[in-house]
Amino acid sequence: MSVTPEEQQLRLRVRQLTWEAEGVLSVHLQQLDGSELPAWQPGAHLDLRLPGGLTRQYSLSGSPRHRSTWRVSVLREQSGRGGSAAVHDALRPGDIVDVVGPRNNFPLVEAARYLFIAGGIGITPILPMIEAVAAAGASWSLVYGGRSRASMAFLSELRPYGDAVSVRPQDEYGLLDLDRLLADPREDTAVYCCGPEPLLAAVEQRCAAWPAGALHVERFAAKPRPAADPDQEAAFEVVLRRTGRTVTVPAGKTILEALEDNGIEPLNSCREGICGTCETKVLDGLPDHRDSLLSEEEKAENNTMMICVGRALSDRLVLDL
């Protein structure tokens, strides 16, 4: 598991497990010696090394004020890749797990007003944000959708916020009324959304007319995109500025894969372009961004890229590696 200078690698104990809703299990982690955990900000997540050698990213869903434990909450995905099954079936109180973080690709920005939209397990990074903006006295509202009330976690934690929270189970209300929520672009409002891909795509579509930077989303899985055709790709060179090495990236491979083939192991974790561990500064050339993390504006700037999924549109790419 790789660690950036801003993060920490910790060995933590599972203090307890709690059921939050149908299929949603919270894992409470603490230091082995009971000391305080590192500080973190709303929107942060952890890399969690799970039984079986899997590494997965989970949002911190507890309160940053509580430094004795960290809480991550995991929805069991029946058709997932094994991470949620490992949490639900293998983790038990007293187990020791390796953790890297916290890392924050979903930071809470300053705004006059906030509109939070959560779908299902997407409520997890939103909870600490709500605590922060409510404590600051900011104007905010949350619209929270899910399949049914029984499947929606943390309803009891949200209840004290009263009318600022709208709980909208699909079996009672249908799909969230995004047309109404997002019909009128507002200069003073930050929109935060986390949930399944159809919800994120629908919100992104409706926020296209909003001011640049108003929408902030976090994905738990890579954004769908057409499969790359190796026959339409060309090899290119990557120059590693710090070492002076040049590596050829063949068609059908990502930059990270080509570097690993040449014995170079840059920091990486998710290998899907969603966690930010492998974000690398671009010094020259035109990257082919294939990640689900950078905004369209950030991709257009071409200052950084996620090399775990990215390639190049130019014959030569110079990276700060």
Side-chain angles (χ1 to χ4, degrees), residues 6 29 42 56 99 104 107 152 230 246 256 270 278 283 288 292 294:
E6 295 78 19
L29 303 166
R56 294 291 185 267
V99 169
N104 200 336
M152 298 172 70
T246 297
L256 176 61
C270 72
C278 72
L283 302 176
D288 180 4
S292 301
L294 295 176

Side-chain angles (χ1 to χ4, degrees), residues 64-181:
R65 295 184 295 109
H66 300 153
R67 299 279 296 277
S68 61
T69 59
W70 280 342
R71 181 180 73 182
V72 296
S73 307
V74 182
L75 170 67
R76 176 152 198 156
E77 299 277 5
Q78 298 299 334
S79 58
R81 296 176 297 124
S84 66
V87 171
H88 282 246
D89 295 342
L91 278 189
R92 294 294 180 265
D95 286 352
I96 307 300
V97 295
D98 290 323
V99 169
V100 170
R103 181 186 302 122
N104 200 336
N105 300 317
F106 195 41
L108 185 63
V109 301
E110 290 189 12
R113 298 174 56 86
Y114 297 89
L115 171 59
F116 299 105
I117 303 173
I121 197 62
I123 191 62
T124 52
I126 302 296
L127 285 174
M129 293 184 178
I130 287 174
E131 179 186 272
V133 299
S139 176
W140 65 275
S141 61
L142 164 69
V143 179
Y144 179 20
R147 297 188 311 277
S148 65
R149 287 184 187 271
S151 71
M152 298 172 70
F154 304 113
L155 294 182
S156 61
E157 290 188 21
L158 293 168
R159 196 168 295 122
Y161 295 115
D163 292 341
V165 175
S166 297
V167 177
R168 293 292 182 267
Q170 187 175 345
D171 61 354
E172 298 177 29
Y173 294 90
L175 296 176
L176 296 181
D177 190 356
L178 299 178
D179 289 331
R180 179 186 61 81
L181 286 172

